């Protein structure tokens, strides 16, 4: 009945517009800055803003909440878990089945920020458990300008999650049907066993880290390939 979502900035406007169904005119208006008083207390950049909405999915109303996000990427994780647990406590028996946390991560941040391991470590404790969190890692295979071989000491960015002994799925982001199948399987695991589950989507970012980053300065070979590469939609149509 309800999903509490946390994510960093990458893809946030896409999620706001296409998943949360926030009005695109509202999104664009926020960048006008004609009325800065509207954004007081709402973070440092527009794509850290939260939103909530109701979506009808398979004939059922689902309430979606996207939490406001601080600049330090993964710090939103315990906020989501605490918010989910509080709402579950108010919801009474069986509320953990009706409300699920969903966290969207970057690959470098998932491996590199200690708050991720701390949140995972608390996930099965009776004072903190939320019936399992679905983790989706948008694995761009680069952390700002750093290649994986220079960013972590483990083969996968998800290796920190092996402490829980829960499923970790690695899936090709360009294989749309495989990604959809894994998402369904992850949701079923969470609802059945009430534990975390990890989806590691291998993909790439088309542009730089942010508006000020020209990726070909630091990753010229990688971005020479990416510029010539067909989009996921084009690959799927083929």
């Amino acid at each position: 009945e309800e999903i509490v979502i946390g994510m960093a900035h990458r893809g946030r406007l896409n999620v706001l517009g296409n998943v949360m169904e926030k009005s695109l005119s509202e999104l664009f208006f926020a960048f006008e800055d004609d009325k800065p008083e509207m954004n007081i207390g709402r973070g440092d950049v527009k794509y850290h803003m939260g939103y909530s909405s109701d979506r009808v999915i398979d004939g059922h109303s689902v309430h979606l909440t996207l939490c406001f996000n601080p600049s330090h990427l993964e710090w939103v994780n315990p906020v989501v878990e605490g918010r989910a647990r509080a709402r579950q406590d108010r919801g009474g028996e069986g509320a953990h089945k009706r409300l699920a946390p969903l966290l969207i991560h970057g690959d470098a941040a998932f491996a590199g920020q200690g708050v991720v391991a701390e949140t995972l470590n608390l996930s099965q404790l009776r004072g903190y458990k939320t019936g399992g969190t679905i983790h989706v890692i948008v694995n761009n295979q680069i952390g700002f300008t750093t290649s994986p071989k220079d960013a972590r000491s483990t083969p996968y960015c998800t290796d920190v999650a092996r402490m829980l002994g829960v499923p970790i799925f690695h899936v090709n982001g360009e294989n749309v049907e495989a990604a959809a199948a894994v998402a369904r399987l992850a949701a079923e695991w969470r609802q059945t066993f009430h534990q975390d589950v990890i989806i590691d989507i291998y993909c790439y970012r088309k542009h730089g880290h942010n508006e000020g980053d020209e990726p070909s300065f630091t990753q010229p070979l990688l971005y020479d390939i990416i510029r010539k590469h067909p989009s996921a939609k084009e690959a799927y149509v083929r």
Side-chain angles (χ1 to χ4, degrees):
E1 298 175 1
E2 186 170 355
I3 301 175
V4 180
I5 307 169
M7 67 180 298
H9 49 277
R10 185 166 311 287
R12 192 180 190 89
L13 297 181
N14 181 29
V15 169
L16 282 167
N18 294 308
V19 178
M20 307 297 295
E21 293 189 331
K22 182 174 183 177
S23 164
L24 296 183
S25 61
E26 286 186 56
L27 279 175
F28 286 115
F29 179 75
F31 283 84
E32 293 293 335
D33 277 338
D34 289 339
K35 296 182 179 179
E37 65 276 6
M38 290 181 60
N39 297 317
I40 291 176
R42 292 197 169 196
D44 48 352
V45 292
K46 305 297 188 299
Y47 39 67
H48 285 173
M49 291 185 181
Y51 194 69
S52 63
S53 63
D54 292 301
R55 292 281 310 267
V56 176
I57 301 173
D58 293 335
H60 300 282
S61 178
V62 180
H63 184 68
L64 303 177
T65 301
L66 177 63
C67 294
F68 286 78
N69 191 72
S71 282
H72 197 60
L73 303 176
E74 302 290 340
W75 277 30
V76 76
N77 298 358
V79 174
V80 167
E81 301 297 344
R83 188 169 185 170
R85 176 59 186 260
R87 296 179 76 88
Q88 290 172 355
D89 286 347
R90 289 202 302 269
E93 186 177 352
H96 65 284
K97 297 180 180 179
R98 301 189 297 270
L99 185 152
L102 169 65
L103 291 175
I104 304 173
H105 313 268
D107 52 318
F110 193 83
Q113 293 195 19
V115 69
V116 175
E118 293 173 27
T119 305
L120 292 171
N121 184 51
L122 296 172
S123 65
Q124 290 299 301
L125 301 183
R126 61 184 178 179
Y128 297 89
K129 63 168 57 177
T130 56
T133 299
I134 299 173
H135 300 266
V136 178
I137 299 173
V138 182
N139 193 332
N140 295 150
Q141 304 176 73
I142 184 173
F144 200 164
T145 61
T146 307
S147 300
K149 63 183 177 64
D150 296 314
R152 59 178 183 265
S153 300
T154 58
Y156 297 104
C157 67
T158 55
D159 284 340
V160 65
R162 293 175 65 183
M163 70 167 82
L164 296 181
V166 298
I168 300 174
F169 299 104
H170 306 281
V171 62
N172 181 355
E174 292 183 297
N175 189 334
V176 178
E177 294 183 11
V182 164
R184 284 192 296 268
L185 183 56
E188 290 178 15
W189 172 274
R190 190 269 174 192
Q191 290 298 88
T192 302
F193 299 105
H194 315 303
Q195 294 180 325
D196 288 28
V197 59
I198 321 291
I199 303 173
D200 182 18
I201 304 177
Y202 270 77
C203 50
Y204 61 92
R205 65 180 196 218
K206 186 175 181 180
H207 303 293
H209 179 79
N210 56 28
E211 301 91 332
D213 175 37
E214 170 47 65
S216 61
F217 289 163
T218 55
Q219 303 287 340
L221 299 180
L222 177 63
Y223 274 86
D224 185 51
I225 296 171
I226 288 174
R227 276 191 291 269
K228 300 172 183 176
H229 195 68
S231 69
K233 181 184 74 173
E234 292 170 333
Y236 182 62
V237 169
R238 293 177 184 177

